[in-house]
Amino acid sequence: MSTQQAPSPAAGEAAAPKATAAPPAGPLSYPVFRALWIATIVSNIGTWMNDVGSGWLMTSLSPSPLMVALVQAATTLPMFLLALPAGALADILDRRKMMLAAQVLGLLAAATLATLTWMGLTSPYVLLAATFVLGVSAALSAPVFQAIVPELVEPPALPDAVALNSLGINISRAIGPALGGIIVAIAGTPVVFALNALSVVAVLVVLYRWQRPQTAQRLPPEHFFGALKAGYRYARHAPALRLVLIRAFGFFVFGSALWAMLPLVARRGLGLDAAGYGALLACMGAGAVMGALLLKRLRARVPANTLSVGATALFAVAGLALALAPNVWVAGAVMVVAGLAWIGMLSTLNVAAQMAAPGWVKARALSVYLLVFQGAMTTGSIMWGALAARSSVTTALLVAAAGQILALVLAAVWRLPADRGADLTPSNHWAEPVLFVQPAGDRGPVLIEIEYRVAADRCAEFIAALRRFKSVRQRDGAIRWDVWEDTTEPGRILECFIVESWLEHQRQHARVTHADRIDQEILNAFHIADHPPVVRHLLRPL
């Protein structure tokens, strides 16, 4: 057991920033980021070409709308299944090696699909299986790629790096589908699948040549299952992240209808060939690029929640218009509008998810966001495909558009933050406990008691404030939390929480943020003793 006094608020505060003589360098001035950004655009172009080829090939292999929709489901399902495990691995393994392995898997899957299709051996289920494996590669890569960006650029360049990644995705979305459609029309789907395999090589070369620096860690890395639990616990107990997840599911489950039904609209409704289908996707990509360029200016004037409402309503209108589009020209214009709305909502939710998580759990938090995103897309694709099979593609799109408008009620209850959010950088304001004997890292569980002295007439107010702090303790590692009031000494209140091990409690020390410090100061303001609140650490006897 150890006893200590709570630290003063100033402990662990960062020094004042130094003045700089020149503005920070842009992200493209960092060679590895620049090379990886270009290589990723090439790879994403290949992925979009592959998506066009897969969707179009399935319309030839099977007339069922459900089978066509399952291509989209096979693409998104791996992200739903593997997002959180991949995020946990990204936080505990060598990220460079993990991303290399994921890209090699994608290369092998794309090459196998190209070979089987060229030999005429691709059936609907072979296509779905290959698409699923490609989705596994993407699911393993996505959280790692997001996590390594801060390692490639300095902190001042990080926001621009994130914006460039978004722009790069939409550049590839504008080029890939149109190029894929043209190649399918001229040379056939096997060539598109082969080019997708070649596009992965660019990323592999950059990752192979990148000499990732090794950083010393004060604490040992988390075990896989422990990291999984920590990521789940954070998502469950972080209100800001839960808000983003609810809003994301409400949008994407209905928004998936447009993506799932588009191949059928192009082929059956508009009588287009593969090149025409790719052109429709390119129109959406062009709209997304326009939206990405406009977003920075819009965010300066429009609150994030208002922007999300407008983007949702616009996407619903686009889905409705696509269902009733009389010709390809109207459909192309509709897809431009859909691209604008899609990138507006996607970017707004992604920024909110980034703001909702500190660095120690960011990959896992973003993985949970991706899990909800892709889970909603998978569920929606199957649902809209089944509805179209029983009724019509037009009915599925109309019902989805109506559902999306109804889902706008979520924006009134769960509002996205209008500012940059709380400061989630580490504050290190918890003092290290004074110990007689250093416990082993796996010793536990650990009971932490914090003793407050509060004026009797303010106890109810203090306990209400303390209960609001419960989620912070649980978010960072507490498996149980309680508050106790001494019946013999009015105003003596104990906050008690339990963590699994001494090592996990040390991680709690590293996880507290500047936002937590501010909340802790509010609690400490109730404390009336002439010394800070007393903190005790108790271990179960061996």
Side-chain angles (χ1 to χ4, degrees), residues 35-261:
L36 188 59
W37 184 72
I38 295 171
T40 302
I41 290 177
V42 173
S43 179
N44 285 337
I45 289 173
T47 299
W48 279 104
M49 290 167 57
N50 185 91
D51 289 349
V52 170
S54 297
W56 196 256
L57 180 59
M58 185 60 84
T59 63
S60 301
L61 296 175
S62 172
S64 169
L66 179 58
M67 292 300 292
V68 176
L70 283 177
V71 175
Q72 175 71 22
T75 302
T76 55
L77 181 60
M79 191 69 74
F80 176 73
L81 297 175
L82 300 175
L84 187 54
L89 290 172
D91 282 335
I92 61 180
L93 297 180
D94 186 306
R95 291 168 178 167
R96 171 181 167 273
K97 292 180 180 178
M98 180 177 170
M99 197 166 178
L100 274 169
Q103 294 299 307
V104 168
L105 177 64
L107 172 62
L108 293 175
T112 300
L113 180 59
T115 302
L116 292 176
T117 306
W118 178 70
M119 296 174 65
L121 300 176
T122 300
S123 67
Y125 295 103
V126 168
L127 178 60
L128 290 177
T131 302
F132 183 84
V133 176
L134 286 168
V136 169
S137 172
L140 294 175
S141 298
V144 188
F145 180 72
Q146 295 193 57
I148 66 173
V149 172
E151 300 180 28
L152 303 179
V153 301
E154 297 295 330
L158 185 57
D160 287 340
V162 173
L164 271 175
N165 283 336
S166 178
L167 182 61
I169 290 171
N170 289 292
I171 289 172
S172 62
R173 179 180 289 161
I175 297 172
L179 186 59
I182 293 170
I183 294 174
V184 167
I186 295 174
T189 52
V191 176
V192 166
F193 298 149
L195 289 175
N196 181 40
L198 288 176
S199 72
V200 179
V201 175
V203 177
L204 285 172
V205 170
V206 174
L207 291 173
Y208 180 79
R209 296 182 62 185
W210 175 34
Q211 300 298 317
R212 181 173 182 252
Q214 299 297 319
T215 56
Q217 299 291 333
R218 186 175 65 88
L219 297 174
E222 298 173 82
H223 295 295
F224 175 69
F225 290 107
L228 277 179
K229 286 196 297 183
Y232 166 76
R233 185 172 57 231
Y234 186 90
R236 180 182 176 186
H237 295 291
L241 183 58
R242 288 204 310 270
L243 179 153
V244 176
L245 300 180
I246 292 169
R247 293 292 304 279
F249 185 84
F251 176 79
F252 292 122
V253 74
F254 296 106
S256 62
L258 186 146
W259 293 98
M261 297 293 102

Side-chain angles (χ1 to χ4, degrees), residues 214-456:
Q214 299 297 319
T215 56
Q217 299 291 333
R218 186 175 65 88
L219 297 174
E222 298 173 82
H223 295 295
F224 175 69
F225 290 107
L228 277 179
K229 286 196 297 183
Y232 166 76
R233 185 172 57 231
Y234 186 90
R236 180 182 176 186
H237 295 291
L241 183 58
R242 288 204 310 270
L243 179 153
V244 176
L245 300 180
I246 292 169
R247 293 292 304 279
F249 185 84
F251 176 79
F252 292 122
V253 74
F254 296 106
S256 62
L258 186 146
W259 293 98
M261 297 293 102
L262 187 60
L264 295 170
V265 171
R267 186 160 197 161
R268 296 184 183 178
L270 301 174
L272 299 178
D273 57 10
Y277 170 54
L280 285 182
L281 284 173
C283 287
M284 189 171 188
V289 171
M290 293 167 56
L293 296 175
L294 290 172
L295 272 176
K296 186 174 183 180
R297 184 175 300 175
L298 284 175
R299 286 199 189 100
R301 302 178 181 180
V302 182
N305 196 66
T306 304
L307 190 61
S308 71
V309 170
T312 301
L314 193 62
F315 197 80
V317 170
L320 178 65
L322 183 65
L324 305 174
N327 56 60
V328 66
W329 301 105
V330 173
V334 167
M335 294 304 292
V336 171
V337 174
L340 277 165
W342 180 264
I343 194 60
M345 190 61 174
L346 195 66
S347 178
T348 301
L349 289 172
N350 192 47
V351 169
Q354 291 271 2
M355 288 166 39
W360 69 270
V361 75
K362 191 174 288 292
R364 280 165 282 183
L366 291 172
S367 294
V368 174
Y369 166 71
L370 290 172
L371 184 152
V372 171
F373 170 26
Q374 299 291 1
M377 292 288 287
T378 301
T379 302
S381 295
I382 296 173
M383 182 170 63
W384 305 122
L387 179 60
R390 294 193 174 194
S391 55
S392 68
V393 172
T394 300
T395 300
L397 288 171
L398 292 177
V399 172
Q404 204 153 44
I405 293 296
L406 292 176
L408 283 175
V409 71
L410 297 176
V413 181
W414 290 280
R415 300 179 62 86
L416 295 177
D419 54 18
R420 294 183 61 84
D423 184 357
L424 300 183
T425 55
S427 62
N428 300 311
H429 68 277
W430 285 9
E432 290 297 320
V434 178
L435 305 170
F436 294 108
V437 177
Q438 179 69 32
D442 59 354
R443 180 88 182 271
V446 183
L447 171 64
I448 297 92
E449 292 184 352
I450 306 176
E451 179 183 316
Y452 298 93
R453 299 285 180 162
V454 181

